[in-house]
Amino acid sequence: MNLIECVKAAGVVGAGGAGFPTHVKLNTKVDCFIVNAAECEPLIETDKYLCRAWADRIIRTIPVIAEAIGADRCVIALKAKYEQEITALEESIKRNSSNVEICKLGYCYPAGDEQTMIQQVTGRSVPGRGLPSDVGCVVDNVGTVLNIADALEGKPVTDKYL
């Protein structure tokens, strides 16, 4: 089974809040895969926790996703002030000899706005009523990446980190 079939069979949907079917989002070819680990509100800590606790699993799964969608650039975007999380991810990148980049964002809460993140990471602007794939990008939440890792092991989505 290929990645998209695994993701669909496991019931993976966007874990960042929108719940969009991930197999639909990944059924494209783009040049940039962005992992959103920026949290959307000041008191939420889920993305930070996942980056600290599952850094290796995240870093190992990103290239698998990128290959399936044709992306040669892989970026994890998170706030620059998330020092522990950045350190955990950077150490994992080194351990895994990965080419995943870290994009350190400013101190703002884009409320899950993929368009804002894409502009900050790539300099590209998604057109009005457009999709990230219109400018060569796919954005998935860090929780979604972990659900994809489970899907690749044949595990369905049954839980959500809160």
Side-chain angles (χ1 to χ4, degrees):
M1 209 179 325
N2 70 26
L3 176 77
I4 292 172
E5 292 167 343
C6 287
V7 166
K8 183 177 182 179
V12 180
V13 298
F20 190 79
T22 301
H23 73 277
V24 174
K25 187 183 269 194
L26 297 179
N27 193 15
T28 189
K29 293 298 179 194
V30 296
D31 65 345
C32 186
F33 178 54
I34 302 171
V35 177
N36 179 350
E39 307 288 10
C40 64
E41 296 181 21
L43 299 177
I44 295 178
E45 299 275 327
T46 307
D47 293 351
K48 291 169 63 178
Y49 167 76
L50 296 176
C51 288
R52 288 189 314 271
W54 300 101
D56 282 336
R57 191 163 172 82
I58 293 164
I59 296 302
R60 286 192 304 262
T61 304
I62 290 171
V64 176
I65 299 166
E67 182 178 351
I69 61 176
D72 54 7
R73 184 175 182 209
C74 304
V75 181
I76 300 175
L78 68 168
K79 292 181 181 67
K81 70 177 189 166
Y82 295 172
E83 294 177 12
Q84 290 179 337
E85 295 73 20
I86 290 168
T87 298
L89 292 166
E90 288 176 338
E91 289 174 357
S92 179
I93 289 167
K94 287 178 188 169
R95 266 193 310 277
N96 289 282
S97 301
S98 178
N99 66 345
V100 173
E101 303 170 34
I102 302 288
C103 179
K104 299 174 186 176
L105 304 172
Y107 184 69
C108 67
Y109 290 92
D113 188 353
E114 289 181 330
Q115 289 81 2
T116 301
M117 184 167 286
I118 290 166
Q119 202 287 321
Q120 290 182 19
V121 171
T122 69
R124 303 172 192 168
S125 295
V126 177
R129 297 187 173 259
L131 297 172
S133 59
D134 294 338
V135 294
C137 298
V138 166
V139 181
D140 273 327
N141 176 270
V142 67
T144 306
V145 171
L146 288 168
N147 286 338
I148 292 169
D150 285 344
L152 290 167
E153 296 173 0
K155 299 175 191 170
V157 175
T158 58
D159 298 306
K160 177 177 172 60
Y161 286 98
L162 299 174

